[in-house]
PDB file of all heavy atoms in Angstrom:
ATOM      1  N   HIS Y   1    -113.870  21.539  36.907  1.00 93.00           N
ATOM      2  CA  HIS Y   1    -112.477  22.004  36.826  1.00 93.00           C
ATOM      3  C   HIS Y   1    -111.514  20.831  36.727  1.00 93.00           C
ATOM      4  O   HIS Y   1    -111.677  19.822  37.406  1.00 93.00           O
ATOM      5  CB  HIS Y   1    -112.118  22.853  38.054  1.00 93.00           C
ATOM      6  CG  HIS Y   1    -110.697  23.326  38.021  1.00 93.00           C
ATOM      7  ND1 HIS Y   1    -110.295  24.368  37.231  1.00 93.00           N
ATOM      8  CD2 HIS Y   1    -109.593  22.873  38.653  1.00 93.00           C
ATOM      9  CE1 HIS Y   1    -109.000  24.549  37.388  1.00 93.00           C
ATOM     10  NE2 HIS Y   1    -108.548  23.660  38.257  1.00 93.00           N
ATOM     11  N   GLU Y   2    -110.516  20.975  35.873  1.00 95.00           N
ATOM     12  CA  GLU Y   2    -109.469  19.968  35.730  1.00 95.00           C
ATOM     13  C   GLU Y   2    -108.121  20.643  35.967  1.00 95.00           C
ATOM     14  O   GLU Y   2    -107.854  21.699  35.409  1.00 95.00           O
ATOM     15  CB  GLU Y   2    -109.485  19.368  34.324  1.00 95.00           C
ATOM     16  CG  GLU Y   2    -110.744  18.601  33.985  1.00 95.00           C
ATOM     17  CD  GLU Y   2    -110.907  17.326  34.792  1.00 95.00           C
ATOM     18  OE1 GLU Y   2    -109.887  16.732  35.197  1.00 95.00           O
ATOM     19  OE2 GLU Y   2    -112.053  16.927  35.041  1.00 95.00           O
ATOM     20  N   VAL Y   3    -107.282  20.047  36.781  1.00 95.00           N
ATOM     21  CA  VAL Y   3    -105.926  20.550  36.992  1.00 95.00           C
ATOM     22  C   VAL Y   3    -105.093  20.111  35.796  1.00 95.00           C
ATOM     23  O   VAL Y   3    -105.070  18.929  35.447  1.00 95.00           O
ATOM     24  CB  VAL Y   3    -105.324  20.011  38.304  1.00 95.00           C
ATOM     25  CG1 VAL Y   3    -103.884  20.478  38.474  1.00 95.00           C
ATOM     26  CG2 VAL Y   3    -106.164  20.446  39.494  1.00 95.00           C
ATOM     27  N   SER Y   4    -104.403  21.068  35.167  1.00 96.00           N
ATOM     28  CA  SER Y   4    -103.605  20.761  33.976  1.00 96.00           C
ATOM     29  C   SER Y   4    -102.354  19.961  34.346  1.00 96.00           C
ATOM     30  O   SER Y   4    -101.903  19.975  35.497  1.00 96.00           O
ATOM     31  CB  SER Y   4    -103.199  22.059  33.269  1.00 96.00           C
ATOM     32  OG  SER Y   4    -102.249  22.754  34.065  1.00 96.00           O
ATOM     33  N   ASP Y   5    -101.775  19.294  33.358  1.00 95.00           N
ATOM     34  CA  ASP Y   5    -100.530  18.563  33.594  1.00 95.00           C
ATOM     35  C   ASP Y   5     -99.407  19.500  34.051  1.00 95.00           C
ATOM     36  O   ASP Y   5     -98.710  19.175  35.014  1.00 95.00           O
ATOM     37  CB  ASP Y   5    -100.118  17.783  32.339  1.00 95.00           C
ATOM     38  CG  ASP Y   5    -101.000  16.576  32.090  1.00 95.00           C
ATOM     39  OD1 ASP Y   5    -101.693  16.115  33.023  1.00 95.00           O
ATOM     40  OD2 ASP Y   5    -100.999  16.081  30.944  1.00 95.00           O
ATOM     41  N   PRO Y   6     -99.215  20.676  33.403  1.00 96.00           N
ATOM     42  CA  PRO Y   6     -98.163  21.587  33.892  1.00 96.00           C
ATOM     43  C   PRO Y   6     -98.408  22.052  35.329  1.00 96.00           C
ATOM     44  O   PRO Y   6     -97.457  22.158  36.114  1.00 96.00           O
ATOM     45  CB  PRO Y   6     -98.213  22.766  32.913  1.00 96.00           C
ATOM     46  CG  PRO Y   6     -98.804  22.201  31.665  1.00 96.00           C
ATOM     47  CD  PRO Y   6     -99.792  21.162  32.141  1.00 96.00           C
ATOM     48  N   ASP Y   7     -99.658  22.305  35.705  1.00 96.00           N
ATOM     49  CA  ASP Y   7     -99.947  22.701  37.088  1.00 96.00           C
ATOM     50  C   ASP Y   7     -99.677  21.553  38.052  1.00 96.00           C
ATOM     51  O   ASP Y   7     -99.202  21.766  39.167  1.00 96.00           O
ATOM     52  CB  ASP Y   7    -101.392  23.186  37.232  1.00 96.00           C
ATOM     53  CG  ASP Y   7    -101.607  24.572  36.660  1.00 96.00           C
ATOM     54  OD1 ASP Y   7    -100.616  25.275  36.368  1.00 96.00           O
ATOM     55  OD2 ASP Y   7    -102.782  24.956  36.504  1.00 96.00           O
ATOM     56  N   THR Y   8     -99.961  20.330  37.628  1.00 96.00           N
ATOM     57  CA  THR Y   8     -99.684  19.161  38.464  1.00 96.00           C
ATOM     58  C   THR Y   8     -98.185  19.014  38.697  1.00 96.00           C
ATOM     59  O   THR Y   8     -97.734  18.779  39.821  1.00 96.00           O
ATOM     60  CB  THR Y   8    -100.256  17.881  37.823  1.00 96.00           C
ATOM     61  OG1 THR Y   8    -101.662  18.044  37.654  1.00 96.00           O
ATOM     62  CG2 THR Y   8     -99.983  16.659  38.675  1.00 96.00           C
ATOM     63  N   VAL Y   9     -97.398  19.196  37.643  1.00 95.00           N
ATOM     64  CA  VAL Y   9     -95.945  19.106  37.765  1.00 95.00           C
ATOM     65  C   VAL Y   9     -95.427  20.193  38.721  1.00 95.00           C
ATOM     66  O   VAL Y   9     -94.589  19.921  39.586  1.00 95.00           O
ATOM     67  CB  VAL Y   9     -95.265  19.209  36.380  1.00 95.00           C
ATOM     68  CG1 VAL Y   9     -93.758  19.375  36.507  1.00 95.00           C
ATOM     69  CG2 VAL Y   9     -95.606  17.988  35.539  1.00 95.00           C
ATOM     70  N   SER Y  10     -95.950  21.415  38.598  1.00 95.00           N
ATOM     71  CA  SER Y  10     -95.538  22.501  39.494  1.00 95.00           C
ATOM     72  C   SER Y  10     -95.891  22.187  40.942  1.00 95.00           C
ATOM     73  O   SER Y  10     -95.090  22.418  41.858  1.00 95.00           O
ATOM     74  CB  SER Y  10     -96.202  23.816  39.085  1.00 95.00           C
ATOM     75  OG  SER Y  10     -95.713  24.257  37.848  1.00 95.00           O
ATOM     76  N   LEU Y  11     -97.078  21.667  41.155  1.00 92.00           N
ATOM     77  CA  LEU Y  11     -97.510  21.287  42.502  1.00 92.00           C
ATOM     78  C   LEU Y  11     -96.590  20.229  43.101  1.00 92.00           C
ATOM     79  O   LEU Y  11     -96.147  20.337  44.254  1.00 92.00           O
ATOM     80  CB  LEU Y  11     -98.948  20.766  42.455  1.00 92.00           C
ATOM     81  CG  LEU Y  11     -99.492  20.177  43.737  1.00 92.00           C
ATOM     82  CD1 LEU Y  11     -99.773  21.278  44.741  1.00 92.00           C
ATOM     83  CD2 LEU Y  11    -100.752  19.392  43.460  1.00 92.00           C
ATOM     84  N   LEU Y  12     -96.273  19.208  42.318  1.00 93.00           N
ATOM     85  CA  LEU Y  12     -95.404  18.144  42.811  1.00 93.00           C
ATOM     86  C   LEU Y  12     -93.984  18.642  43.061  1.00 93.00           C
ATOM     87  O   LEU Y  12     -93.333  18.221  44.026  1.00 93.00           O
ATOM     88  CB  LEU Y  12     -95.396  16.962  41.842  1.00 93.00           C
ATOM     89  CG  LEU Y  12     -96.712  16.192  41.773  1.00 93.00           C
ATOM     90  CD1 LEU Y  12     -96.685  15.192  40.629  1.00 93.00           C
ATOM     91  CD2 LEU Y  12     -97.011  15.510  43.090  1.00 93.00           C
ATOM     92  N   GLU Y  13     -93.508  19.546  42.232  1.00 91.00           N
ATOM     93  CA  GLU Y  13     -92.174  20.112  42.446  1.00 91.00           C
ATOM     94  C   GLU Y  13     -92.136  20.926  43.733  1.00 91.00           C
ATOM     95  O   GLU Y  13     -91.184  20.829  44.512  1.00 91.00           O
ATOM     96  CB  GLU Y  13     -91.758  20.974  41.250  1.00 91.00           C
ATOM     97  CG  GLU Y  13     -90.358  21.532  41.353  1.00 91.00           C
ATOM     98  CD  GLU Y  13     -89.255  20.476  41.439  1.00 91.00           C
ATOM     99  OE1 GLU Y  13     -89.480  19.303  41.077  1.00 91.00           O
ATOM    100  OE2 GLU Y  13     -88.158  20.836  41.894  1.00 91.00           O
ATOM    101  N   ALA Y  14     -93.178  21.713  43.989  1.00 89.00           N
ATOM    102  CA  ALA Y  14     -93.243  22.477  45.240  1.00 89.00           C
ATOM    103  C   ALA Y  14     -93.295  21.533  46.430  1.00 89.00           C
ATOM    104  O   ALA Y  14     -92.612  21.743  47.442  1.00 89.00           O
ATOM    105  CB  ALA Y  14     -94.457  23.396  45.228  1.00 89.00           C
ATOM    106  N   ALA Y  15     -94.073  20.464  46.333  1.00 86.00           N
ATOM    107  CA  ALA Y  15     -94.174  19.499  47.425  1.00 86.00           C
ATOM    108  C   ALA Y  15     -92.845  18.777  47.642  1.00 86.00           C
ATOM    109  O   ALA Y  15     -92.431  18.550  48.777  1.00 86.00           O
ATOM    110  CB  ALA Y  15     -95.284  18.491  47.129  1.00 86.00           C
ATOM    111  N   ARG Y  16     -92.177  18.468  46.565  1.00 85.00           N
ATOM    112  CA  ARG Y  16     -90.887  17.774  46.656  1.00 85.00           C
ATOM    113  C   ARG Y  16     -89.858  18.621  47.394  1.00 85.00           C
ATOM    114  O   ARG Y  16     -89.022  18.114  48.123  1.00 85.00           O
ATOM    115  CB  ARG Y  16     -90.387  17.437  45.250  1.00 85.00           C
ATOM    116  CG  ARG Y  16     -89.099  16.639  45.225  1.00 85.00           C
ATOM    117  CD  ARG Y  16     -88.640  16.389  43.801  1.00 85.00           C
ATOM    118  NE  ARG Y  16     -88.094  17.575  43.179  1.00 85.00           N
ATOM    119  CZ  ARG Y  16     -86.840  18.013  43.343  1.00 85.00           C
ATOM    120  NH1 ARG Y  16     -86.023  17.380  44.146  1.00 85.00           N
ATOM    121  NH2 ARG Y  16     -86.416  19.091  42.714  1.00 85.00           N
ATOM    122  N   ARG Y  17     -89.935  19.933  47.228  1.00 84.00           N
ATOM    123  CA  ARG Y  17     -88.979  20.838  47.847  1.00 84.00           C
ATOM    124  C   ARG Y  17     -89.368  21.264  49.260  1.00 84.00           C
ATOM    125  O   ARG Y  17     -88.606  21.929  49.942  1.00 84.00           O
ATOM    126  CB  ARG Y  17     -88.806  22.075  46.979  1.00 84.00           C
ATOM    127  CG  ARG Y  17     -88.133  21.770  45.661  1.00 84.00           C
ATOM    128  CD  ARG Y  17     -88.113  22.986  44.753  1.00 84.00           C
ATOM    129  NE  ARG Y  17     -87.451  22.691  43.518  1.00 84.00           N
ATOM    130  CZ  ARG Y  17     -86.170  22.953  43.280  1.00 84.00           C
ATOM    131  NH1 ARG Y  17     -85.430  23.503  44.218  1.00 84.00           N
ATOM    132  NH2 ARG Y  17     -85.646  22.654  42.122  1.00 84.00           N
ATOM    133  N   ALA Y  18     -90.545  20.882  49.699  1.00 82.00           N
ATOM    134  CA  ALA Y  18     -91.008  21.278  51.032  1.00 82.00           C
ATOM    135  C   ALA Y  18     -90.179  20.579  52.111  1.00 82.00           C
ATOM    136  O   ALA Y  18     -89.759  19.441  51.939  1.00 82.00           O
ATOM    137  CB  ALA Y  18     -92.490  20.920  51.194  1.00 82.00           C
ATOM    138  N   PRO Y  19     -89.961  21.277  53.212  1.00 80.00           N
ATOM    139  CA  PRO Y  19     -89.212  20.653  54.306  1.00 80.00           C
ATOM    140  C   PRO Y  19     -90.030  19.544  54.966  1.00 80.00           C
ATOM    141  O   PRO Y  19     -91.250  19.515  54.856  1.00 80.00           O
ATOM    142  CB  PRO Y  19     -88.982  21.808  55.281  1.00 80.00           C
ATOM    143  CG  PRO Y  19     -90.079  22.772  54.993  1.00 80.00           C
ATOM    144  CD  PRO Y  19     -90.396  22.630  53.532  1.00 80.00           C
ATOM    145  N   SER Y  20     -89.336  18.664  55.630  1.00 75.00           N
ATOM    146  CA  SER Y  20     -90.025  17.587  56.336  1.00 75.00           C
ATOM    147  C   SER Y  20     -89.514  17.514  57.769  1.00 75.00           C
ATOM    148  O   SER Y  20     -88.413  17.953  58.073  1.00 75.00           O
ATOM    149  CB  SER Y  20     -89.784  16.250  55.640  1.00 75.00           C
ATOM    150  OG  SER Y  20     -88.417  15.897  55.739  1.00 75.00           O
ATOM    151  N   ALA Y  21     -90.319  16.942  58.612  1.00 74.00           N
ATOM    152  CA  ALA Y  21     -89.897  16.715  59.992  1.00 74.00           C
ATOM    153  C   ALA Y  21     -88.780  15.682  59.992  1.00 74.00           C
ATOM    154  O   ALA Y  21     -88.908  14.614  59.403  1.00 74.00           O
ATOM    155  CB  ALA Y  21     -91.074  16.234  60.828  1.00 74.00           C
ATOM    156  N   GLY Y  22     -87.690  16.004  60.599  1.00 74.00           N
ATOM    157  CA  GLY Y  22     -86.594  15.051  60.681  1.00 74.00           C
ATOM    158  C   GLY Y  22     -85.879  14.814  59.365  1.00 74.00           C
ATOM    159  O   GLY Y  22     -85.178  13.831  59.216  1.00 74.00           O
ATOM    160  N   ASN Y  23     -86.081  15.693  58.379  1.00 73.00           N
ATOM    161  CA  ASN Y  23     -85.421  15.578  57.072  1.00 73.00           C
ATOM    162  C   ASN Y  23     -85.601  14.178  56.488  1.00 73.00           C
ATOM    163  O   ASN Y  23     -84.658  13.507  56.087  1.00 73.00           O
ATOM    164  CB  ASN Y  23     -83.934  15.927  57.205  1.00 73.00           C
ATOM    165  CG  ASN Y  23     -83.332  16.295  55.874  1.00 73.00           C
ATOM    166  OD1 ASN Y  23     -84.035  16.756  54.976  1.00 73.00           O
ATOM    167  ND2 ASN Y  23     -82.034  16.109  55.738  1.00 73.00           N
ATOM    168  N   SER Y  24     -86.854  13.723  56.449  1.00 70.00           N
ATOM    169  CA  SER Y  24     -87.155  12.345  56.045  1.00 70.00           C
ATOM    170  C   SER Y  24     -87.385  12.164  54.549  1.00 70.00           C
ATOM    171  O   SER Y  24     -88.051  11.234  54.139  1.00 70.00           O
ATOM    172  CB  SER Y  24     -88.390  11.854  56.812  1.00 70.00           C
ATOM    173  OG  SER Y  24     -89.502  12.670  56.527  1.00 70.00           O
ATOM    174  N   GLN Y  25     -86.826  13.038  53.731  1.00 69.00           N
ATOM    175  CA  GLN Y  25     -86.912  12.841  52.306  1.00 69.00           C
ATOM    176  C   GLN Y  25     -86.130  11.577  51.929  1.00 69.00           C
ATOM    177  O   GLN Y  25     -85.328  11.110  52.732  1.00 69.00           O
ATOM    178  CB  GLN Y  25     -86.322  14.043  51.545  1.00 69.00           C
ATOM    179  CG  GLN Y  25     -87.068  15.322  51.726  1.00 69.00           C
ATOM    180  CD  GLN Y  25     -86.515  16.122  52.909  1.00 69.00           C
ATOM    181  OE1 GLN Y  25     -85.806  15.602  53.742  1.00 69.00           O
ATOM    182  NE2 GLN Y  25     -86.856  17.376  52.986  1.00 69.00           N
ATOM    183  N   PRO Y  26     -86.257  10.968  50.762  1.00 74.00           N
ATOM    184  CA  PRO Y  26     -86.997  11.522  49.631  1.00 74.00           C
ATOM    185  C   PRO Y  26     -88.507  11.306  49.770  1.00 74.00           C
ATOM    186  O   PRO Y  26     -88.962  10.344  50.376  1.00 74.00           O
ATOM    187  CB  PRO Y  26     -86.471  10.744  48.432  1.00 74.00           C
ATOM    188  CG  PRO Y  26     -86.092   9.421  48.996  1.00 74.00           C
ATOM    189  CD  PRO Y  26     -85.615   9.699  50.415  1.00 74.00           C
TER     190      PRO Y  26
END
């Protein structure tokens, strides 16, 4: 199995929007 580029982008976008402890983004 290979994760497609569009699926990788979606995964990273979801991770980017996830909350963090102490609001430690970016």
Side-chain angles (χ1 to χ4, degrees):
H1 179 77
E2 296 293 331
V3 177
S4 70
D5 287 341
D7 285 347
T8 301
V9 170
S10 292
L11 173 73
L12 291 171
E13 183 61 19
R16 184 182 74 82
R17 293 174 179 264
S20 66
N23 200 26
S24 60
Q25 295 91 343

